[in-house]
Amino acid sequence: MNQLEGKIAIVTGASRLKGIGAAICRELVKNGCHIFFTYWTEYDKSMPWSMESTEPARLKEELAEAGVKVSCMELDLTRFDTLKQFIDKVSEDVGAPDFLINNATYSTNNDYSNLTAEELDRHYKVNIGATTLLSSEFAKRFKKKVGGRIVNLTSGQFQGPMPGELAYATTKGAVDALTITLAAEVAPLGITVNAVNPGPTDTGWITEELKRYLEPMFPFGRLGDPSDVAKTIKFLVSDDASWITGQIINSEGGFKR
């Protein structure tokens, strides 16, 4: 029997068809989950990889072809005052959620010499502020007593330094601390909390030059694919992972920095 059949998942940050968020949605839908995903086109359009405005609608249409309930909305995660209403909408559109996948992230290059308070605040609000508050709201509303799952996306900040990404490394590193403590707090509610570090993943941002530099660091001779992390998350939300909580899983194909 499919363990995920009929479960309801929230996936944040699924703006781009090539992204990790979209891959997570596809994997969960393939296994019978109903999905509510968020996106924020303003951010992705400002990045070098950019995106097409139609991508979220195309993803929704693709997912719905599996015969599950699918809904989505554009959500600015820096607006903390809207997060409770967001969870309300999830329940109205697809039902009370079983899983929360905190995939959305904010990342720009900076170091000690050019970091500003404004840029640090943007990283904080999305990477740790929204992740913490959404997780808290999810936990407060979870009444099913068993099978609740929160999965956070991190990036291996404690695997080694990330020069040139000071704000990103600082705020995503805090996600690891959140994961460990929140897991202990919400276990009595029937919720597990884990984080996944997928390592360098080819979602369209990696140039050919960077790809040639990174590939020798992977013993399998290739970069991570979005489907790799999606399958890890599928396992973590399943009943088979009910005894796994408070863990930071470095699922990065043996990547050596």
Side-chain angles (χ1 to χ4, degrees):
M1 182 180 294
N2 191 339
Q3 297 179 9
L4 305 187
E5 190 78 33
K7 299 291 188 179
I8 296 168
I10 299 171
V11 181
T12 66
S15 298
R16 298 185 304 117
L17 291 172
K18 291 186 66 175
I20 288 174
I24 295 167
C25 290
R26 291 186 185 104
E27 189 66 30
L28 296 183
V29 161
K30 185 170 70 176
N31 287 271
C33 279
H34 307 298
I35 294 285
F36 193 114
F37 70 87
T38 75
Y39 57 96
W40 187 240
T41 56
E42 180 181 322
Y43 169 73
D44 279 297
K45 283 188 172 182
S46 70
M47 295 292 104
W49 50 82
S50 193
M51 65 168 289
E52 296 179 14
S53 299
T54 60
E55 289 186 67
R58 287 157 56 194
L59 177 61
K60 181 182 179 182
E61 182 178 355
E62 174 192 337
L63 298 174
E65 290 176 357
V68 299
K69 290 186 284 187
V70 181
S71 190
C72 63
M73 69 178 290
E74 187 149 22
L75 181 65
D76 180 358
L77 289 170
T78 68
R79 292 281 311 278
F80 294 162
D81 59 318
T82 67
L83 299 184
K84 289 184 179 180
Q85 293 92 324
F86 162 61
I87 300 292
D88 288 338
K89 182 166 175 56
V90 173
S91 296
E92 290 167 8
D93 286 6
V94 296
D98 299 277
F99 312 146
L100 170 63
I101 316 301
N102 286 306
N103 171 69
T105 193
Y106 183 93
S107 175
T108 58
N109 295 334
N110 44 66
D111 61 21
Y112 76 93
S113 67
N114 58 14
L115 179 63
T116 65
E118 293 77 15
E119 193 63 11
L120 180 60
D121 189 53
R122 291 189 190 99
H123 282 78
Y124 164 78
K125 283 183 173 178
V126 175
N127 297 346
I128 190 62
T131 296
T132 303
L133 292 171
L134 271 181
S135 298
S136 297
E137 194 64 29
F138 170 86
K140 284 187 287 187
R141 298 190 189 206
F142 186 78
K143 305 301 180 186
K144 302 183 184 183
K145 298 183 179 180
V146 67
R149 302 285 187 266
I150 297 173
V151 182
N152 301 319
L153 271 290
T154 185
S155 300
Q157 278 67 39
F158 294 101
Q159 298 292 95
M162 299 179 68
E165 298 189 57
L166 184 58
Y168 180 72
T170 299
T171 53
K172 291 294 273 189
V175 173
D176 289 7
L178 163 68
T179 298
I180 294 167
T181 295
L182 185 63
E185 291 187 347
V186 301
L189 303 178
I191 301 171
T192 67
V193 187
N194 293 289
V196 177
N197 159 35
T201 303
D202 191 1
T203 62
W205 64 275
I206 297 177
T207 64
E208 284 301 316
E209 180 181 4
L210 183 56
K211 185 177 180 180
R212 287 193 296 271
Y213 170 76
L214 289 172
E215 279 182 342
M217 301 180 186
F218 288 88
F220 290 108
R222 69 168 179 87
L223 275 66
D225 185 83
S227 64
D228 295 320
V229 63
K231 290 172 184 175
T232 303
I233 289 171
K234 176 190 69 176
F235 167 69
L236 286 174
V237 300
S238 74
D239 291 343
D240 288 339
S242 62
W243 199 237
I244 300 173
T245 196
Q247 302 304 304
I248 316 302
I249 298 172
N250 296 302
S251 178
E252 48 183 3
F255 178 64
K256 300 296 183 184
R257 288 163 174 79

